[in-house]
Amino acid sequence: IHLASYPEDLDQAARLLDRCPNLYVDVAARIPEIGRHPAAKARPFFLKYQDRILFGTDLIVTSRGMQLGSVSEKPPEFADAVHFYELHRRYFETADRQFDHMTPVQGRWKIDGIDLPRPVLQKIYVDNAERLIFAHRRAWLKAGGPGGR
């Protein structure tokens, strides 16, 4: 669920995550809203729930072209996709202040980077999704794989 459908209310998202320990959330197409929070509020949220947040963008690629997050103002090209991902990286990996977010069609406000540590980035970008995707296989292997125990 895109930040549990609460990107504008991190306190409510936190309450839901606290109440539902098996809930994972993603950030797909929600960085513009999350980025409206001061970095001093958003960064602790990402640090606290680092094991349950998944990176996502809502990038859609079809034979007719691509869509970057929300509906694009113009048909995006490859360079637009590169810029789109650069802005995601900038949000998560830098302490830059007051830069344009990745989907201006949602609104023309500025966001601040949250400068997450490398180990947290690794979890959000890769490890959390990998743990979820392969959980069934790990359980199967732990139980003895094809021959059982």
Side-chain angles (χ1 to χ4, degrees), residues 47-82:
L47 293 175
K48 181 175 181 180
Y49 300 106
Q50 63 184 278
D51 294 318
R52 297 165 57 202
I53 298 173
L54 307 168
F55 177 74
T57 64
D58 274 8
L59 168 72
I60 300 168
V61 179
T62 70
S63 60
R64 296 183 310 275
M66 69 178 125
Q67 177 180 316
L68 305 174
S70 299
V71 175
S72 302
E73 295 172 316
K74 62 179 179 60
E77 298 178 2
F78 182 77
D80 298 314
V82 170

Coordinates of all heavy atoms in Angstrom, one line a residue, residues 47-82:
L47 N 13.6 5.9 9.4 CA 14.6 5.2 10.3 C 13.9 4.2 11.1 O 14.3 3.0 11.3 CB 15.4 6.1 11.1 CG 16.4 7.0 10.3 CD1 17.0 8.0 11.3 CD2 17.4 6.2 9.6
K48 N 12.8 4.6 11.7 CA 12.0 3.7 12.6 C 11.5 2.5 11.9 O 11.5 1.3 12.4 CB 10.9 4.4 13.3 CG 10.1 3.5 14.3 CD 9.1 4.3 15.1 CE 8.4 3.4 16.0 NZ 7.4 4.1 16.8
Y49 N 10.9 2.7 10.7 CA 10.2 1.6 10.0 C 11.0 1.1 8.8 O 10.5 0.5 7.9 CB 8.8 2.1 9.5 CG 8.0 2.5 10.7 CD1 7.8 3.9 10.9 CD2 7.5 1.6 11.5 CE1 7.0 4.3 12.0 CE2 6.7 2.0 12.6 CZ 6.5 3.3 12.9 OH 5.7 3.7 14.0
Q50 N 12.4 1.2 8.9 CA 13.2 0.9 7.8 C 13.1 -0.6 7.3 O 13.4 -0.9 6.2 CB 14.7 1.2 8.2 CG 15.2 0.4 9.3 CD 16.6 0.7 9.8 OE1 17.5 0.3 9.2 NE2 16.7 1.6 10.7
D51 N 12.7 -1.5 8.2 CA 12.5 -2.9 7.9 C 11.2 -3.2 7.2 O 11.0 -4.3 6.8 CB 12.7 -3.8 9.1 CG 14.1 -3.7 9.7 OD1 15.0 -3.7 8.9 OD2 14.2 -3.6 10.9
R52 N 10.3 -2.2 7.1 CA 9.0 -2.4 6.5 C 8.6 -1.5 5.4 O 7.4 -1.3 5.1 CB 8.0 -2.4 7.7 CG 8.3 -3.5 8.7 CD 7.7 -3.4 10.0 NE 6.2 -3.3 9.9 CZ 5.5 -2.8 10.8 NH1 6.0 -2.3 11.9 NH2 4.2 -2.8 10.7
I53 N 9.6 -0.8 4.9 CA 9.3 0.2 3.8 C 10.0 -0.3 2.5 O 11.1 -0.7 2.5 CB 9.8 1.6 4.1 CG1 9.1 2.2 5.4 CG2 9.6 2.5 2.9 CD1 9.7 3.5 5.9
L54 N 9.2 -0.3 1.4 CA 9.7 -0.8 0.1 C 9.8 0.4 -0.8 O 8.9 1.2 -0.9 CB 8.7 -1.8 -0.5 CG 8.4 -3.0 0.4 CD1 7.2 -3.7 -0.1 CD2 9.6 -3.9 0.6
F55 N 10.8 0.4 -1.6 CA 11.0 1.4 -2.7 C 10.1 1.0 -3.8 O 10.0 -0.1 -4.2 CB 12.4 1.5 -3.1 CG 12.6 2.5 -4.3 CD1 12.6 3.8 -4.1 CD2 12.8 2.0 -5.6 CE1 12.7 4.7 -5.1 CE2 13.0 2.9 -6.6 CZ 12.9 4.3 -6.4
G56 N 9.4 2.0 -4.4 CA 8.6 1.8 -5.6 C 8.4 3.2 -6.2 O 8.6 4.2 -5.6
T57 N 8.0 3.2 -7.5 CA 7.9 4.5 -8.2 C 6.6 4.6 -9.0 O 6.2 5.7 -9.4 CB 9.0 4.7 -9.2 OG1 8.9 3.7 -10.2 CG2 10.3 4.7 -8.6
D58 N 5.9 3.5 -9.3 CA 4.7 3.5 -10.2 C 5.1 3.8 -11.6 O 4.4 4.4 -12.4 CB 3.6 4.4 -9.7 CG 2.7 3.8 -8.7 OD1 3.0 2.6 -8.3 OD2 1.6 4.4 -8.4
L59 N 6.4 3.5 -12.0 CA 6.8 3.6 -13.4 C 6.1 2.6 -14.2 O 6.1 1.4 -13.8 CB 8.3 3.4 -13.5 CG 8.8 3.2 -14.9 CD1 8.8 4.5 -15.7 CD2 10.3 2.7 -14.9
I60 N 5.4 3.0 -15.3 CA 4.7 2.0 -16.1 C 5.3 2.1 -17.5 O 5.5 3.2 -18.1 CB 3.2 2.4 -16.2 CG1 2.6 2.3 -14.8 CG2 2.5 1.5 -17.2 CD1 1.2 2.9 -14.7
V61 N 5.7 0.9 -18.1 CA 6.2 0.9 -19.4 C 5.4 -0.1 -20.2 O 5.2 -1.2 -19.8 CB 7.7 0.4 -19.4 CG1 8.3 0.3 -20.8 CG2 8.6 1.3 -18.5
T62 N 4.9 0.4 -21.4 CA 4.1 -0.4 -22.3 C 4.6 -0.2 -23.7 O 5.5 0.7 -23.9 CB 2.6 0.0 -22.2 OG1 2.4 1.3 -22.8 CG2 2.1 0.0 -20.8
S63 N 4.0 -0.9 -24.6 CA 4.4 -0.7 -26.0 C 4.0 0.7 -26.5 O 4.6 1.2 -27.5 CB 3.7 -1.7 -26.9 OG 2.3 -1.6 -26.8
R64 N 3.1 1.4 -25.8 CA 2.7 2.8 -26.2 C 3.6 3.8 -25.6 O 3.4 5.0 -25.8 CB 1.3 3.0 -25.9 CG 0.3 2.1 -26.6 CD -1.1 2.4 -26.3 NE -1.5 2.4 -24.9 CZ -1.8 1.3 -24.1 NH1 -1.8 0.1 -24.7 NH2 -2.1 1.5 -22.9
G65 N 4.5 3.4 -24.7 CA 5.4 4.4 -24.0 C 5.4 4.2 -22.5 O 5.2 3.0 -22.1
M66 N 5.7 5.2 -21.8 CA 5.8 5.0 -20.3 C 5.1 6.1 -19.6 O 4.8 7.2 -20.2 CB 7.3 4.9 -19.9 CG 8.1 6.2 -20.0 SD 9.8 6.0 -19.4 CE 10.7 6.5 -20.9
Q67 N 4.8 5.9 -18.3 CA 4.2 6.8 -17.4 C 5.1 6.9 -16.2 O 5.5 5.8 -15.6 CB 2.8 6.4 -17.1 CG 2.1 7.3 -16.1 CD 0.7 6.8 -15.7 OE1 0.0 6.5 -16.6 NE2 0.4 6.8 -14.5
L68 N 5.5 8.0 -15.8 CA 6.3 8.2 -14.6 C 5.5 8.7 -13.4 O 5.1 9.8 -13.3 CB 7.4 9.3 -14.9 CG 8.3 9.0 -16.1 CD1 9.2 10.2 -16.4 CD2 9.0 7.7 -16.0
G69 N 5.2 7.7 -12.5 CA 4.4 8.0 -11.3 C 3.0 8.4 -11.7 O 2.3 7.5 -12.2
S70 N 2.6 9.6 -11.5 CA 1.3 10.0 -11.9 C 1.3 10.3 -13.4 O 2.3 10.2 -14.1 CB 0.9 11.3 -11.2 OG 0.9 11.1 -9.8
V71 N 0.1 10.7 -14.0 CA 0.1 11.0 -15.4 C 1.0 12.1 -15.7 O 1.1 13.1 -15.0 CB -1.4 11.4 -15.7 CG1 -1.5 11.8 -17.2 CG2 -2.3 10.2 -15.5
S72 N 1.8 11.9 -16.7 CA 2.8 12.9 -17.1 C 2.2 14.1 -17.9 O 1.2 13.9 -18.6 CB 3.9 12.3 -18.0 OG 4.5 11.2 -17.3
E73 N 2.8 15.2 -17.8 CA 2.3 16.4 -18.5 C 2.5 16.2 -20.0 O 1.8 16.8 -20.8 CB 3.0 17.6 -18.0 CG 2.7 18.0 -16.6 CD 3.5 19.1 -16.0 OE1 4.8 19.1 -16.2 OE2 3.0 19.9 -15.3
K74 N 3.6 15.5 -20.4 CA 3.9 15.2 -21.8 C 4.4 13.8 -21.9 O 4.8 13.2 -20.8 CB 4.9 16.2 -22.3 CG 6.2 16.1 -21.6 CD 7.3 17.1 -22.2 CE 8.6 17.0 -21.5 NZ 9.3 15.8 -21.6
P75 N 4.3 13.1 -23.0 CA 4.8 11.8 -23.1 C 6.3 11.8 -22.7 O 7.1 12.5 -23.3 CB 4.7 11.4 -24.6 CG 3.6 12.3 -25.1 CD 3.7 13.6 -24.3
P76 N 6.7 11.0 -21.6 CA 8.0 11.0 -21.2 C 9.0 10.2 -22.1 O 8.6 9.3 -22.8 CB 8.0 10.4 -19.8 CG 6.7 9.6 -19.8 CD 5.8 10.2 -20.8
E77 N 10.2 10.7 -22.1 CA 11.3 10.0 -22.9 C 12.3 9.4 -21.9 O 12.2 9.6 -20.7 CB 11.9 11.0 -23.8 CG 10.9 11.6 -24.8 CD 11.6 12.6 -25.7 OE1 12.8 12.9 -25.6 OE2 10.8 13.2 -26.5
F78 N 13.3 8.7 -22.4 CA 14.2 8.0 -21.6 C 14.9 9.0 -20.6 O 15.1 8.8 -19.4 CB 15.3 7.3 -22.4 CG 16.3 6.6 -21.6 CD1 16.0 5.4 -21.0 CD2 17.6 7.1 -21.4 CE1 16.9 4.7 -20.2 CE2 18.5 6.4 -20.6 CZ 18.2 5.2 -20.0
A79 N 15.3 10.2 -21.1 CA 15.9 11.2 -20.3 C 15.0 11.6 -19.1 O 15.5 11.9 -18.0 CB 16.4 12.4 -21.1
D80 N 13.7 11.7 -19.4 CA 12.8 12.0 -18.3 C 12.8 10.9 -17.2 O 12.7 11.2 -16.0 CB 11.4 12.2 -18.8 CG 11.3 13.3 -19.9 OD1 11.8 14.4 -19.6 OD2 10.7 13.1 -20.9
A81 N 12.9 9.7 -17.6 CA 12.9 8.5 -16.7 C 14.2 8.6 -15.8 O 14.1 8.4 -14.6 CB 12.8 7.2 -17.4
V82 N 15.3 8.9 -16.4 CA 16.6 9.1 -15.7 C 16.4 10.2 -14.7 O 16.8 10.0 -13.5 CB 17.7 9.3 -16.7 CG1 19.0 9.7 -15.9 CG2 18.0 8.1 -17.5

